[in-house]
Amino acid sequence: MFRTLKTVILALGVGAALAVAGIQPAQAAPAAAAQITLNPAQGPAGTSVTVSGSGFKASTTGTVIAGSTTFSFQTTASGAFSTGITIPAIAPGNLTITAKTSSIKASATFAVAATPAPQPPVVSTDPFRFGVATPGGPLAAAELDEVSQLAGESPSMVLFYKDFLQAPPIAELNAVRARGAVPLLTWEPWAWGGGLEQPAYSLDRITAGDFDARILEWGQALTAWGQPVMLRFAHEMNGNWYPWAEGVNGNQAGDYVQAWRHVHDVVASTGASNVQWVWSPNVPYWGSTDLAGLYPGAGYVDIVALDGYNWGTSAAWSSWVSPQDLFAPGIAQLRGIAPGKPILIAETASSEAGGSKATWNTDLVSYLAAQPDVMGFVWFHFQKETDWRINSSASSASALSSALLARRS
């Protein structure tokens, strides 16, 4: 009744016969599942990522899909690949990255991070300093960021203005300090909008102590703040357009020096050793008040300064003037009046009308940086009587940035 094994094998086939005999046939190993890895697996849009995969169809082309963007790759004889991709512009969150060859595919998740805000350039450590004034003042961060990008460096001085009616500007001082800069605080002894004739703010009333409560408040606040601040009191006093000038608003010769010394002494009485006093006339011009009679004295001034603009042909009375012609006469006078004091150009800018503003910007930095006692300049970045802004033209902005870079090199 029993047939031989050979007969069974012939009748049932090899597999069945082995089963009858209690012998299990060897099973083929299952194919490995396709998979991919990402390196790195997180970052902002624009990140370069290496996608590596295995288990795909061998020796063929495939595609990596990242959002709406695709990248091709070629697999090896073992079905592996490695290719570079760039994360497309996409909102922060998880992005599925998929690789596929014909019917084989695998996915991994890339965590798209928020793109960090661009950081403004740093403040230069060059001893010849760059500063700026903008319409919004220290709290207008976007304006100061724009200037930093235009100039290729963040300003080390930020100029802004307050009148006698305003409280000490601690928020503005903090904002300047947070940017790594020093405040250049222009303090104007008048009420904004009140015009040239303001008898309540005549120089003799300041000297008489009528504003001592406000001056003391400022001194105490600056002392408590404790950080370096340049206090530019009653600037451009040699002109005739502010009520603290001699010859207007009832002011007499000698009144300016007396008022300055009084304000200085009241602030100093609070212990404000962090305050540097900046005496800042306009560049001398025909008919301006002589500087010698307006200088309060070496013990009352830490920095002497000049304000000067190249109006070009933007006004009926003006003409183009080079930086050297604009500032050299005044700098020479300051050296004679206040020998050894550092000199600051506290306000300057150029019009586009009547010449090359780009060349003027280059010459300004070159001329001033060559003066060993000139500590820097402050650009008046306003569109006001004319377009004084750094970027009134692309060539103007490029020239100033290049000039500042050259002086850092």
Side-chain angles (χ1 to χ4, degrees):
M1 293 184 61
F2 296 98
R3 289 175 286 179
T4 66
L5 180 59
K6 180 178 180 180
T7 304
V8 173
I9 291 173
L10 291 173
L12 299 178
V14 175
L18 291 175
V20 170
I23 302 172
Q24 296 298 320
Q27 300 294 318
Q35 61 180 0
I36 62 171
T37 59
L38 309 176
N39 184 28
Q42 61 183 4
T47 298
S48 296
V49 176
T50 299
V51 182
S52 301
S54 61
F56 290 85
K57 186 175 180 181
S59 304
T60 189
T61 58
T63 303
V64 174
I65 303 169
S68 60
T69 308
T70 60
F71 305 85
S72 61
F73 64 86
Q74 178 76 35
T75 62
T76 66
S78 63
F81 74 89
S82 179
T83 191
I85 70 168
T86 301
I87 301 301
I90 193 170
N94 290 332
L95 173 66
T96 299
I97 308 294
T98 300
K100 65 177 184 178
T101 57
S102 58
S103 61
I104 302 174
K105 67 179 181 179
S107 299
T109 299
F110 184 88
V112 182
T115 303
Q119 296 300 306
V122 299
V123 174
S124 170
T125 58
D126 193 278
F128 181 73
R129 302 171 65 179
F130 163 68
V132 75
T134 65
L139 301 181
E143 292 178 358
L144 294 173
D145 287 346
E146 178 194 39
V147 167
S148 299
Q149 296 296 337
L150 291 171
E153 67 182 66
S154 289
S156 65
M157 300 171 288
V158 177
L159 168 65
F160 61 108
Y161 305 81
K162 297 294 176 181
D163 70 4
F164 253 28
L165 296 178
Q166 298 178 73
I170 302 303
E172 287 95 329
L173 295 175
N174 285 333
V176 174
R177 184 69 179 174
R179 301 183 72 91
V182 174
L184 177 55
L185 174 50
T186 299
W187 197 18
E188 302 178 343
W190 68 333
W192 284 351
L196 179 61
E197 295 296 322
Q198 297 190 37
Y201 294 92
S202 62
L203 291 172
D204 59 358
R205 292 199 62 184
I206 296 172
T207 304
D210 290 4
F211 300 96
D212 280 5
R214 175 48 51 91
I215 298 168
L216 191 64
E217 178 191 9
W218 271 60
Q220 291 169 339
L222 294 176
T223 299
W225 189 62
Q227 304 298 321
V229 56
M230 294 186 284
L231 189 60
R232 181 175 173 246
F233 177 69
H235 66 301
E236 298 178 5
M237 76 301 291
N238 59 325
N240 59 3
W241 46 86
Y242 286 127
W244 54 83
E246 294 181 353
V248 303
N249 198 34
N251 300 325
Q252 304 299 315
D255 284 351
Y256 181 85
V257 167
Q258 294 303 313
W260 175 287
R261 290 177 176 177
H262 180 79
V263 173
H264 175 281
D265 289 345
V266 174
V267 171
S269 73
T270 68
S273 59
N274 55 314
V275 173
Q276 286 186 301
W277 290 83
V278 181
W279 182 71
S280 184
N282 195 76
V283 290
Y285 60 93
W286 189 88
S288 64
T289 304
D290 183 63
L291 296 183
L294 299 172
Y295 183 57
Y300 291 89
V301 174
D302 298 298
I303 298 168
V304 292
L306 287 173
D307 294 359
Y309 294 83
N310 173 31
W311 289 75
T313 56
S314 63
W317 50 265
S318 64
S319 59
W320 193 266
V321 58
S322 72
Q324 183 167 351
D325 289 343
L326 178 63
F327 288 114
I331 289 175
Q333 289 193 38
L334 293 182
R335 287 169 177 159
I337 294 169
K341 296 289 184 182
I343 299 171
L344 174 67
I345 304 305
E347 290 184 27
T348 193
S350 176
S351 170
E352 292 275 0
S356 168
K357 184 171 179 176
T359 300
W360 195 91
N361 295 352
T362 301
D363 292 345
L364 173 77
V365 177
S366 176
Y367 167 68
L368 294 177
Q371 310 305 309
D373 50 356
V374 175
M375 59 182 286
F377 71 99
V378 178
W379 191 277
F380 191 75
H381 186 69
F382 283 67
Q383 188 168 12
K384 197 178 174 187
E385 301 91 349
T386 186
D387 195 344
W388 302 116
R389 295 175 302 167
I390 295 169
N391 59 335
S392 55
S393 64
S395 61
S396 169
S398 176
L400 184 64
S401 176
S402 296
L404 290 172
L405 175 61
R407 75 87 164 79
R408 297 196 303 267
S409 302

